[in-house]
């Protein structure tokens, strides 16, 4: 026997990676959204002048869950490709865009930095495109798994841009609706 590992052993190794990468990315992404109070439950966000293309809140949860699963599977494929030329740089690009991705919700929803969030999402998009090109020579399927993410980032960037245009004072004035108060006489 001249093989180091059988095809079955290699598949199991990939699935072991995926059992770590997928839940990790989904959990951290979800935590960042929850910690930054993202979505329609955020009074600041609800008070903004939102464009018509903003989808219902549940769409974001479903879309990001699916995208994070695809990202985790893609990462597992490249982690599994030990010895592949360019693997280290490809992984660096992936983690740079992933960390930037996790920073977007706190920047937008938590700090109300709409314009800076737009710059960040453009950076994320560029880093994600670079990641796709870096992953492609290593594992084509890993690159293809990131294509829906690229599409969603394009939509999110357009949405962020429109929100920024429609709410020029969202950052400076804080556009926050005061909490309901009860006066007891």
């Amino acid at each position: 026997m001249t093989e180091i590992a059988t095809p079955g052993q290699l598949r199991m190794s990939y699935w072991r990676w995926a059992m770590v990468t997928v839940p990790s990315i989904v959990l951290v992404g979800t935590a960042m959204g929850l910690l930054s109070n993202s979505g329609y439950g955020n009074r600041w966000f609800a008070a903004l002048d939102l464009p018509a293309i903003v989808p219902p809140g549940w769409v974001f949860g479903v879309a990001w869950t699916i995208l994070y699963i695809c990202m985790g599977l893609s990462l597992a494929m490249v982690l599994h490709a030990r010895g592949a030329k360019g693997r280290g740089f490809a992984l660096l690009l992936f983690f740079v865009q992933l960390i930037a991705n996790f920073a977007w919700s706190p920047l937008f929803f938590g700090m109300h930095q709409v314009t800076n969030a737009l710059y960040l999402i453009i950076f994320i998009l560029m880093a994600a495109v670079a990641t796709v090109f870096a992953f492609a020579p290593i594992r084509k399927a890993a690159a293809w798994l990131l294509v829906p993410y690229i599409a969603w980032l394009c939509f999110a960037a357009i949405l962020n841009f429109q929100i920024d245009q429609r709410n020029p004072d969202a950052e400076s004035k804080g556009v926050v609706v005061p909490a309901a108060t009860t006066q007891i006489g």
Side-chain angles (χ1 to χ4, degrees), residues 62-148:
V62 170
W64 277 113
T65 300
I66 292 167
L67 294 171
Y68 284 147
I69 289 169
C70 289
M71 290 167 71
L73 293 171
S74 177
L75 175 60
M77 286 180 189
V78 175
L79 285 170
H80 180 255
R82 290 188 202 121
K85 184 178 178 189
R87 178 177 174 256
F89 181 68
L91 289 171
L92 175 67
L93 285 173
F94 181 88
F95 285 111
V96 165
Q97 67 79 32
L98 184 66
I99 291 166
N101 174 301
F102 290 156
W104 186 89
S105 285
L107 185 64
F108 184 89
F109 289 103
M111 295 182 236
H112 309 161
Q113 295 294 309
V114 180
T115 304
N116 288 333
L118 176 60
Y119 297 144
L120 180 58
I121 204 164
I122 291 167
F123 171 78
I124 297 165
L125 179 58
M126 291 186 309
V129 168
T131 302
V132 167
F133 283 104
F135 275 18
I138 298 166
R139 293 282 188 271
K140 288 198 186 326
W144 281 108
L145 279 168
L146 295 178
V147 170

Side-chain angles (χ1 to χ4, degrees), residues 22-35:
V22 172
S24 297
I25 291 173
V26 171
L27 289 173
V28 173
T30 301
M32 294 310 287
L34 291 173
L35 291 172

Side-chain angles (χ1 to χ4, degrees), residues 1-10 82:
M1 181 173 193
T2 60
E3 297 176 344
I4 294 173
T6 67
Q9 289 170 322
L10 290 174
R82 290 188 202 121

